[in-house]
Amino acid sequence: MDTYGILAFPAHHSLSPVMHNAGFKALGIKASYDFFEISPEKLDDFFKTVRDKKIKGLSVSGPYKQAVIPFLDSVDIVGKKIGAVNTIYWDKGSLIGTNVDWIGVEKSLLEKTQIENKSVVILGAGGAARSAIYALHKNDAWPITILNRTLSRAKALAEEFNCEYGELDDFESYSPKIVIQATSAGLNRREGVEIVPKELLESNMVIMEMIYNPIETRIVRDAREVGATVITGERMLLHQGVAAFELWTSQKAPFSIMEEAINKNLR
Ligand code: NDP
């Protein structure tokens, strides 16, 4: 029986286990995908276990997308460019880090809109925003603006990736075709947190939310009310999960089964 899992702290809110276990079962793969909720002081010991027991693959979430890098044999070119690892796999005895979050961003957007030459505002300047910028550059979105609560982080990211930047309050100066909500504000908070006032959202915008817990965040509710095109956070989870599954198993992922497993468990 092979072991995979999600490494995060906390990890219990993740829907990756239901998604991947449904995929393994459907293909008759003898594997289990577990929660590895590991506190920072236990990370070192955890990676000894990964190597001793040859844990076959890991998804990585907050706060470890950069912290795992010293424990790996190498990080591939995509992981290096994005500057964060969200998937770990073995290749010829070496433990490798990569990042497939950008695939989640790209495919979720392409389900609803073209990306090329579209103006985009990204809310947030953390690891998830970095994967969004990578996907947007690959698909020739332009211009890309990063708005963040902490201006210095938006500026640093904008300089690294050649984007525009500002504070969240600057949103009213832009009228982007695509808005990507990549902050963690409102995560696990059903009452929601307002990042952009509803009056500034327009019906011709495509608004993508990355948070899937809860599924109806404040910006998702507001975007629906103004008649915008909405992409909810579980689409990114699904598409990046399918990419990781295929990397680990070298088999075509059972997309609809993994999709159904997520959708049945949304709150
Ligand atoms: P990081 O911790 O790296 O970044 C968090 C970002 O959120 C920062 O820009 C931070 O701003 C901003 N932020 C946090 N709280 C607030 C607040 N109250 N008001 C305004 N801004 C705030 O997290 P990640 O980039 O890794 O993840 C961001 C979100 O994306 C998370 O909620 C995560 O769950 C989700 N995600 C979803 C995925 C999916 O598959 N659906 C995949 C990856 C991430 P500041 O710089 O000022 O601190």
Side-chain angles (χ1 to χ4, degrees):
M1 180 83 131
D2 291 332
T3 303
Y4 297 83
I6 166 90
L7 167 64
F9 189 69
H12 60 272
H13 62 277
S14 173
L15 290 183
S16 290
V18 294
M19 167 175 65
H20 287 296
N21 283 323
F24 292 144
K25 191 170 168 209
L27 296 190
I29 296 172
K30 290 199 177 7
S32 82
Y33 185 108
D34 304 331
F35 291 98
F36 294 119
E37 188 162 290
I38 306 294
S39 59
E41 64 277 12
K42 299 209 169 119
L43 198 59
D44 204 7
D45 284 345
F46 175 70
F47 270 95
K48 287 187 188 122
T49 310
V50 171
R51 287 181 184 275
D52 288 350
K53 300 207 169 146
K54 284 261 176 189
I55 289 178
K56 274 209 100 179
L58 289 168
S59 311
V60 184
S61 192
Y64 295 132
K65 286 186 177 179
Q66 288 170 325
V68 294
I69 293 173
F71 296 99
L72 305 175
D73 295 314
S74 66
V75 174
D76 77 357
I77 193 154
V78 179
K80 279 194 185 126
K81 181 88 184 149
I82 295 175
V85 162
N86 93 318
T87 302
I88 296 175
Y89 63 99
W90 289 96
D91 183 31
K92 300 185 195 85
S94 295
L95 201 54
I96 315 290
T98 186
N99 194 311
V100 295
D101 274 341
W102 74 273
I103 299 174
V105 175
E106 177 187 71
K107 296 211 161 163
S108 304
L109 285 172
L110 289 174
E111 284 179 334
K112 292 280 171 86
T113 180
Q114 288 198 314
I115 305 174
E116 193 177 343
N117 289 325
K118 294 274 174 79
S119 54
V120 185
V121 163
I122 300 172
L123 308 168
R130 299 178 74 91
S131 67
I133 297 168
Y134 185 85
L136 293 166
H137 275 322
K138 249 187 138 44
N139 285 274
D140 298 318
W142 185 88
I144 301 169
T145 305
I146 302 154
L147 302 182
N148 195 45
R149 177 177 65 178
T150 308
L151 185 64
S152 57
R153 289 188 79 196
K155 181 171 188 278
L157 200 53
E159 285 172 356
E160 183 178 342
F161 288 99
N162 199 17
C163 302
E164 296 176 21
Y165 69 94
E167 292 176 331
L168 292 171
D169 286 348
D170 297 333
F171 188 88
E172 62 184 324
S173 317
Y174 299 88
S175 195
K177 292 275 183 282
I178 299 173
V179 179
I180 300 181
Q181 199 307 102
T183 77
S184 47
L187 180 65
N188 294 324
R189 289 179 58 181
R190 193 151 294 280
E191 74 281 10
V193 172
E194 185 184 81
I195 296 291
V196 172
K198 184 176 157 190
E199 312 81 78
L200 301 180
L201 303 178
E202 295 168 18
S203 59
N204 63 355
M205 291 176 175
V206 175
I207 298 179
M208 173 177 170
E209 169 65 280
M210 288 195 179
I211 291 174
Y212 64 83
N213 190 359
I215 193 68
E216 289 285 317
T217 61
R218 178 68 181 266
I219 201 168
V220 164
R221 279 203 302 274
D222 289 347
R224 287 197 205 290
E225 282 173 26
V226 302
T229 301
V230 177
I231 302 168
T232 42
E234 87 288 1
R235 298 312 291 173
M236 177 173 174
L237 175 75
L238 172 64
H239 287 296
Q240 66 77 34
V242 163
F245 188 100
E246 294 183 349
L247 181 66
W248 292 326
T249 64
S250 304
Q251 295 193 52
K252 186 154 178 50
F255 185 91
S256 315
I257 285 167
M258 292 167 75
E259 180 180 42
E260 194 191 335
I262 293 176
N263 290 345
K264 273 204 308 219
N265 286 279
L266 292 174
R267 286 180 288 137

